Amino acid sequence: NEYKSYLSMEDELNFNLLTSPGWNQKLEKVFRLHDANKDGLLTMDEFLNIHVRQQTNALAVSDDLKYKLAITMASFACYAGFMPDSKMTLKQFKMGIAKLASHEEIKRKSGAKTLLDHWTDAYFDLIDQREDAGLTLEQLSVLWRNTGITTKDSAKKTFEAVDIDGDGRVTRDEMKKRNHMFWYTENIKDVSGLYGITLE
């Protein structure tokens, strides 16, 4: 299957990312953000805790929608190199995302949905299942506050980073573009504030 084929792609790394100061800054801050016990190692549980459990904790949504997000995020984590009951170093985390970036770019160019696209759709479905609807700062802040990592001020900065056309609503397409830019490109200017992370 696709995942087994992916695991055999030993040398498919995006070396431009691995040598980019901006991308490394993003990955280092993301790593520290998720490292709940500050031991310098990251587990799948720590990664999923923020993106699944904490974000859905106070939301009145169906178990099906929570399950969809959990499966989507677990898939992303596995492709990034996480394994259940194992710990990942910062270097391993960077290598995993650099490999995933190459894989996702191939899918994106072919017109197929990427893991980040599925992540965004599952994320949006928690609040608004209308495909063409955009989300307001107030709506998205509900999710971000539940993570315990985003203040009111940083929620505003995150929203401004994602609201590409500045119309006061964030669409799925805008979120997908910014997620791809954050995880898989060297760009830091246009994604500073995303996930509550300030980039310089």
Side-chain angles (χ1 to χ4, degrees), residues 126-153:
L126 292 175
I127 304 175
D128 191 340
Q129 286 118 66
R130 292 173 296 168
E131 290 295 327
D132 59 346
L135 299 180
T136 64
L137 171 60
E138 182 179 3
Q139 288 174 304
L140 285 171
S141 291
V142 172
L143 280 180
W144 294 334
R145 280 198 302 269
N146 289 338
T147 67
I149 60 173
T150 307
T151 64
K152 184 176 181 180
D153 181 59

Side-chain angles (χ1 to χ4, degrees), residues 22-23 25-26 29-30 154 157-164 174-200:
W23 183 81
Q25 179 189 166
K26 287 187 285 189
K29 290 193 174 186
V30 166
S154 59
K157 290 180 180 178
T158 298
F159 187 87
E160 290 172 348
V162 181
D163 183 16
I164 297 174
E174 286 176 320
M175 183 69 83
K176 288 173 183 178
K177 287 179 179 178
R178 283 299 188 246
N179 274 335
H180 275 269
M181 187 175 288
F182 185 92
W183 288 94
Y184 303 147
T185 77
E186 302 170 45
N187 186 306
I188 61 173
K189 176 179 177 294
D190 295 319
V191 293
S192 182
L194 199 58
Y195 305 115
I197 295 173
T198 300
L199 303 165
E200 301 173 353

Side-chain angles (χ1 to χ4, degrees), residues 64-115:
D64 286 344
L65 289 177
K66 292 181 180 180
Y67 180 75
K68 178 182 177 181
L69 179 63
I71 290 297
T72 301
M73 292 309 306
S75 295
F76 180 88
C78 287
Y79 272 82
F82 285 98
M83 298 295 288
D85 302 319
S86 65
K87 297 183 178 182
M88 183 180 285
T89 65
L90 174 58
K91 181 179 179 180
Q92 290 171 325
F93 181 63
K94 290 180 179 179
M95 294 286 282
I97 297 297
K99 180 178 179 179
L100 180 55
S102 295
H103 177 72
E104 292 273 84
E105 182 62 14
I106 292 171
K107 293 189 72 172
R108 188 186 66 81
K109 287 182 176 180
S110 73
K113 288 184 72 170
T114 65
L115 291 170

